[in-house]
Amino acid sequence: MSKIALITGATSGIGEACAELFAANGYNLILTGRRKDRLKSLAEKLNKTYNVEIAEAAFDVRNRNAVHDNLNNLPPEWRNIDVLINNAGLSQGLDPVHEGDVTDWDTMIDTNVKGLLYVTKIVSGWMTGRKKGHIVNIGSIAGKEVYPKGNVYCATKHAVDALSQAMRIDLLPYGIRVTAIHPGAVETEFSEVRFKGDKERAKAVYKGYEPLVAADIADAIWYAVSRPPHVNINDMLIMPTAQANATNWNKK
Ligand code: NDP
Ligand code: 8X3
């Protein structure tokens, strides 16, 4: 029987690239995200191209009841999840803390931390019952360092780093692997979302150097997931060659 991966935030960027790569490797997929139309067209494409089965679940990870209902309403056979990729996340704004927008803070904390926890609680419950599974959390260089005006986004990704370490301890008796993947700059819709649709400002983030692309991160996730069962990749920090850390670039 084919393995199953649940990917949050599969409608774009890193999540979408993971969906493609895992489907190419024969995984059946549970794809989630808020944009139903994108989930539907991605599911149709992957089903047609790779002949894998896809379940779509459109919900907002910030909504605890929606997470609960959507996951628990999956047909029982879809609960045998082998890999959970906690990828849904975002940044909103780039402001010094004294000028920060409190609504932006709530959105980031509710999505990147609480949403990840809501999904993890349910899926890890199923995994512990089967005594197997692999959870991959998408952190960030922003979870390893802080940078000017990154305050709350950085705090949420530091939380993802801490939670990944904590999950590794709590889930140890059940043989569940936990991997944290921390990318530097990846050109996706991330900056357009951060700057609330300002395409020019978003484009400028990736100007003058070669950023990572979503497929680079999917490739690293696949590496971690495809190791033999006795090997766990705890933590990976993946940067563009032209980015040394959160603040230093080699731009032309
Ligand atoms: P994208 O904006 O391209 O993708 C983000 C995904 O998250 C979308 O599929 C979006 O789906 C989903 N999402 C956002 N909010 C919610 C929500 N409330 N409920 C459900 N799904 C949600 O960005 P990336 O692919 O770059 O981001 C993926 C992850 O990688 C994020 O956690 C991000 O923080 C992290 N990351 C990104 C980096 C980068 O430079 N791009 C670097 C380091 C980490 P929808 O809108 O349909 O709900
Ligand atoms: C996304 C990368 O540097 O904008 O996590 O925080 S950064």
Side-chain angles (χ1 to χ4, degrees):
M1 190 177 150
S2 295
K3 289 187 172 177
I4 297 173
L6 188 161
I7 303 169
T8 67
T11 55
S12 160
I14 295 168
E16 186 179 355
C18 287
E20 177 96 34
L21 188 55
F22 277 67
N25 282 284
Y27 269 69
N28 292 331
L29 299 174
I30 304 167
L31 301 180
T32 81
R34 290 165 299 180
R35 286 169 288 183
K36 234 183 182 155
D37 50 336
R38 287 205 188 188
L39 285 178
K40 191 167 180 291
S41 54
L42 179 63
E44 281 170 4
K45 182 183 107 175
L46 297 180
N47 171 265
K48 210 166 143 197
T49 312
Y50 302 109
N51 197 27
V52 292
E53 293 187 26
I54 315 274
E56 300 147 48
F59 60 86
D60 187 327
V61 293
R62 291 173 295 176
N63 183 332
R64 198 196 318 179
N65 292 333
V67 173
H68 179 273
D69 292 350
N70 274 277
L71 295 184
N72 282 298
N73 284 339
L74 288 168
E77 62 274 18
W78 282 102
R79 291 185 178 189
N80 297 330
I81 293 167
D82 297 284
V83 179
L84 164 63
I85 304 179
N86 274 319
N87 164 76
L90 82 180
S91 184
Q92 289 277 271
L94 188 66
D95 304 295
V97 75
H98 58 287
E99 291 171 8
D101 180 324
V102 177
T103 306
D104 287 348
W105 296 354
D106 285 343
T107 303
M108 289 186 276
I109 293 166
D110 290 350
T111 308
N112 301 355
V113 184
K114 292 167 71 181
L116 179 145
L117 282 169
Y118 296 155
V119 174
T120 300
K121 174 158 170 62
I122 294 171
V123 176
S124 64
W126 295 335
M127 287 177 169
T128 53
R130 298 170 68 220
K131 285 198 162 31
K132 69 190 267 214
H134 193 159
I135 298 174
V136 180
N137 294 326
I138 308 303
S140 171
I141 179 65
K144 298 290 187 184
E145 298 173 38
V146 289
Y147 53 84
K149 304 178 185 174
N151 44 64
V152 176
Y153 178 69
C154 294
T156 66
K157 289 300 184 178
H158 275 71
V160 172
D161 194 22
L163 287 169
S164 301
Q165 295 176 50
M167 286 179 200
R168 210 170 287 125
I169 297 168
D170 294 346
L171 300 174
L172 184 63
Y174 304 94
I176 293 168
R177 302 195 285 183
V178 180
T179 297
I181 303 278
H182 303 279
V186 190
E187 189 165 9
T188 62
E189 293 177 11
F190 176 85
S191 291
E192 213 177 306
V193 171
R194 167 173 254 174
F195 299 128
K196 301 174 183 172
D198 184 339
K199 286 192 189 342
E200 286 313 304
R201 196 172 172 200
K203 239 196 229 158
V205 173
Y206 309 107
K207 249 199 176 134
Y209 69 103
E210 187 173 352
L212 297 169
V213 293
D216 296 322
I217 305 306
D219 183 47
I221 293 168
W222 178 254
Y223 173 80
V225 166
S226 59
R227 291 311 86 212
H230 69 287
V231 178
N232 187 58
I233 305 295
N234 278 12
D235 206 74
M236 266 199 235
L237 179 57
I238 307 159
M239 306 295 287
T241 303
Q243 183 185 4
N245 56 20
T247 46
N248 289 75
W249 274 264
N250 177 24
K251 291 191 183 177
K252 305 280 177 236

